[in-house]
C-alpha cells in the first residue's frame, strides 16, 4: 500500500470515533421518543439498533486485529531498517549482514540452502556441533585456566546438543529474524531452556548419567535448568538470529549448489555414523560401571577401542548415578 493511502486511512480512522458517538446519540434520541411512535415503527428501530450493535462488535474485532497487524508491521519495518543500516556501517570488525539482505540474495541465487529447508537446517546443525564445542572449550580455558573436552561424540570436536540447540533456535526464531530483539530474547529463553531440560532428561533416562547439574543454583528446575542459564539462552537467542545466523547463512551462501548438496549428504552420513558409534560406546561404558562383562566379541572390541580412560577424557563432565 502506498504511503498516501496509509495517510488517507489514518485520517478516516481519526474521524471514526466522532462519527460513532454521533450515531449513538441519534439512537439515544430516537429511543427517548419511541413512545410517540406506533409499535411497528418501534420494532423497526429496535431491529436497526440490534443490527448496528452486531456491526460494531465486528468492527471492534477487526480493529483489534488491525491494531496487532499494524503494530507488528511497524516493529518489522523498524527492525529491518535498523539491521540494514547497522550492517552498512564501517567498523573495525565488520557487522553481520542484515537478514533482509540474506533473504534477497538466497532468493536471487536460487540457492540449495534457501530459507530454512532441510539443507540449511543440517548445515546449521553441523556448524553448531563444532562451534559450540570450540566456544565452550575456550570458556573453560578462560574460566579455569585449562582446556577440557566438551565433545559429545567419540570422533571429532562435535556435540549434537549444540547442533540441536542451533536448529531449535533457528526454527523458533526464524519468523522473528526481522523483528525487534524482544522476540529473539524471549524465544531463546524458552526454546533453549526446553532443549537443555529435554537433553538432560533423555541422557539420564537412557544412560543413567548427567553432564550438568544446577541443583545448587537459584531458581532451578530439577537441577536440569536454572534461571541464570535460561537468561543466557535468551541472550544467545538474540545474538543468534541477529548476528550469528546471518553470518552463517552468508557463509553457506558461498557454497555452490551441486557441491553443497553432495557435501551435506556426506557430512550427514558421517554424523549418523559418529552418533551410532557414540551410543554403542556409551552403552558399554555405562555397563562397565555396573561391572557387566562383555557378552560378545563385538562388545569386547568396543571395550578395547573405547576404554574408560578414553571415554572419561572425551566426556570429562559426565557423571553416573
Amino acid at each position: 500500500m502506498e504511503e498516501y493511502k496509509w495517510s488517507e486511512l489514518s485520517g478516516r480512522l481519526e474521524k471514526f470515533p466522532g462519527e460513532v458517538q454521533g450515531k449513538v446519540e441519534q439512537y439515544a434520541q430516537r429511543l427517548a421518543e419511541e413512545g410517540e411512535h406506533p409499535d411497528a415503527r418501534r420494532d423497526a428501530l429496535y431491529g436497526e439498533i440490534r443490527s448496528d450493535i452486531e456491526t460494531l462488535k465486528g468492527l471492534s474485532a477487526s480493529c483489534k486485529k488491525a491494531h496487532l497487524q499494524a503494530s507488528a508491521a511497524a516493529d518489522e519495518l523498524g527492525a529491518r531498517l535498523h539491521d540494514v543500516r547497522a550492517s552498512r556501517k564501517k567498523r573495525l570488525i565488520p557487522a553481520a549482514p542484515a537478514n533482509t539482505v540474506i533473504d534477497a540474495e538466497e532468493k536471487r541465487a536460487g540457492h540449495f540452502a534457501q530459507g530454512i529447508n532441510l539443507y540449511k537446517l543440517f548445515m546449521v546443525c553441523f556448524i553448531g556441533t563444532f562451534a559450540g564445542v570450540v566456544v565452550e572449550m575456550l570458556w573453560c580455558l578462560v574460566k579455569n585456566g585449562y582446556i577440557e573436552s566438551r565433545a559429545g561424540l567419540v570422533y571429532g570436536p562435535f556435540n549434537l546438543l549444540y547442533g540441536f540447540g542451533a536448529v531449535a533456535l533457528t526454527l523458533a526464531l526464524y519468523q522473528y529474524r526481522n523483528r525487534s530483539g524482544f522476540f529473539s530474547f524471549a524465544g531463546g529463553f524458552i526454546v533453549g531452556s526446553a532443549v537443555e531440560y529435554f537433553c538432560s532428561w533423555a541422557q539420564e533416562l537412557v544412560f543413567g548419567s548427567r553432564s550438568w547439574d544446577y541443583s545448587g543454583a537459584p531458581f532451578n528446575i530439577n537441577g536440569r535448568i536454572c534461571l541464570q542459564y535460561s537468561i543466557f539462552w535468551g541472550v544467545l537467542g538474540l545474538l543468534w538470529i541477529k548476528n550469528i545466523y546471518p553470518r552463517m547463512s552468508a557463509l553457506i551462501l558461498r557454497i555452490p549448489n551441486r557441491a553443497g548438496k553432495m557435501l551435506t549428504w556426506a557430512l550427514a552420513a558421517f554424523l549418523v555414523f559418529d552418533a551410532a558409534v557414540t551410543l554403542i560406546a556409551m552403552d558399554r561404558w555405562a555397563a562397565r560401571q555396573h561391572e557387566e562383562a562383555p557378552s560378545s566379541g563385538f562388545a569386547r572390541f568396543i571395550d578395547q577401542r573405547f576404554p574408560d580412560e578414553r571415554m572419561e577424557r572425551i566426556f570429562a563432565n559426565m557423571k553416573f548415578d
Side-chain angles (χ1 to χ4, degrees):
M1 187 179 292
E2 297 180 12
E3 184 178 356
Y4 77 91
K5 291 188 177 181
W6 271 349
S7 301
E8 181 182 339
L9 178 60
S10 177
R12 292 177 62 186
L13 289 175
E14 288 178 359
K15 298 177 182 178
F16 181 71
E19 294 175 355
V20 171
Q21 188 59 38
K23 190 70 172 178
V24 170
E25 292 175 358
Q26 290 178 16
Y27 277 134
Q29 182 64 31
R30 292 172 65 182
L31 285 171
E33 299 171 352
E34 67 172 355
E36 303 174 6
H37 304 304
D39 291 344
R41 188 169 179 181
R42 286 202 303 273
D43 291 342
L45 173 62
Y46 295 163
E48 182 181 348
I49 292 176
R50 281 193 291 268
S51 177
D52 275 5
I53 289 173
E54 294 303 316
T55 300
L56 286 171
K57 288 181 179 179
L59 283 172
S60 176
S62 297
C63 286
K64 290 178 182 178
K65 183 177 180 180
H67 169 71
L68 293 175
Q69 291 177 336
S71 298
D75 180 80
E76 180 177 343
L77 284 174
R80 286 179 182 269
L81 176 61
H82 173 271
D83 293 348
V84 170
R85 292 183 63 186
S87 68
R88 301 281 167 81
K89 289 183 178 179
K90 294 183 178 180
R91 300 175 180 176
L92 182 62
I93 300 177
N99 282 302
T100 298
V101 176
I102 292 294
D103 294 344
E105 291 183 356
E106 287 181 346
K107 185 176 180 180
R108 178 183 56 80
H111 199 252
F112 79 98
Q114 182 176 344
I116 51 170
N117 62 14
L118 291 178
Y119 287 107
K120 170 67 74 61
L121 290 177
F122 176 80
M123 296 300 290
V124 167
C125 178
F126 185 82
I127 295 174
T129 61
F130 174 75
V133 171
V134 173
V135 170
E136 192 164 355
M137 287 176 65
L138 292 175
W139 172 249
C140 179
L141 177 62
V142 172
K143 183 179 179 181
N144 302 322
Y146 58 84
I147 294 179
E148 188 176 69
S149 173
R150 290 294 186 267
L153 298 175
V154 292
Y155 295 123
F158 305 110
N159 191 322
L160 288 176
L161 172 61
Y162 299 116
F164 292 153
V167 170
L169 284 174
T170 301
L171 287 172
L173 302 179
Y174 184 79
Q175 59 182 323
Y176 303 114
R177 67 195 184 284
N178 293 312
R179 298 291 298 274
S180 58
F182 168 79
F183 295 94
S184 303
F185 178 86
F189 185 98
I190 296 170
V191 174
S193 300
V195 169
E196 188 172 27
Y197 191 98
F198 173 79
C199 290
S200 173
W201 170 81
Q203 179 181 330
E204 187 170 6
L205 178 67
V206 176
F207 299 108
S209 65
R210 283 194 180 192
S211 293
W212 62 90
D213 188 351
Y214 304 137
S215 298
F219 304 105
N220 74 85
I221 300 179
N222 298 327
R224 304 187 192 283
I225 59 175
C226 66
L227 179 61
Q228 177 184 352
Y229 280 92
S230 292
I231 292 175
F232 167 80
W233 279 109
V235 174
L236 179 60
L238 179 58
L239 291 174
W240 176 264
I241 206 64
K242 292 293 187 180
N243 195 289
I244 301 174
Y245 172 79
R247 292 180 190 275
M248 191 179 300
S249 294
L251 179 64
I252 297 172
L253 193 58
R254 297 179 181 179
I255 304 175
N257 284 349
R258 185 175 179 180
K261 291 181 179 180
M262 295 173 62
L263 178 63
T264 301
W265 286 107
L267 292 176
F270 167 74
L271 277 189
V272 169
F273 170 76
D274 201 355
V277 174
T278 299
L279 288 174
I280 295 171
M282 290 185 70
D283 182 62
R284 279 301 306 154
W285 187 23
R288 290 196 298 271
Q289 306 308 306
H290 296 88
E291 299 182 352
E292 295 181 14
S295 59
S296 66
F298 179 72
R300 286 191 292 272
F301 169 77
I302 293 298
D303 286 352
Q304 293 172 0
R305 184 67 178 171
F306 300 100
D308 290 354
E309 296 78 10
R310 181 177 181 183
M311 298 298 286
E312 289 170 359
R313 187 171 62 253
I314 297 173
F315 306 101
N317 290 320
M318 184 171 292
K319 305 298 180 183
F320 287 92
D321 294 337

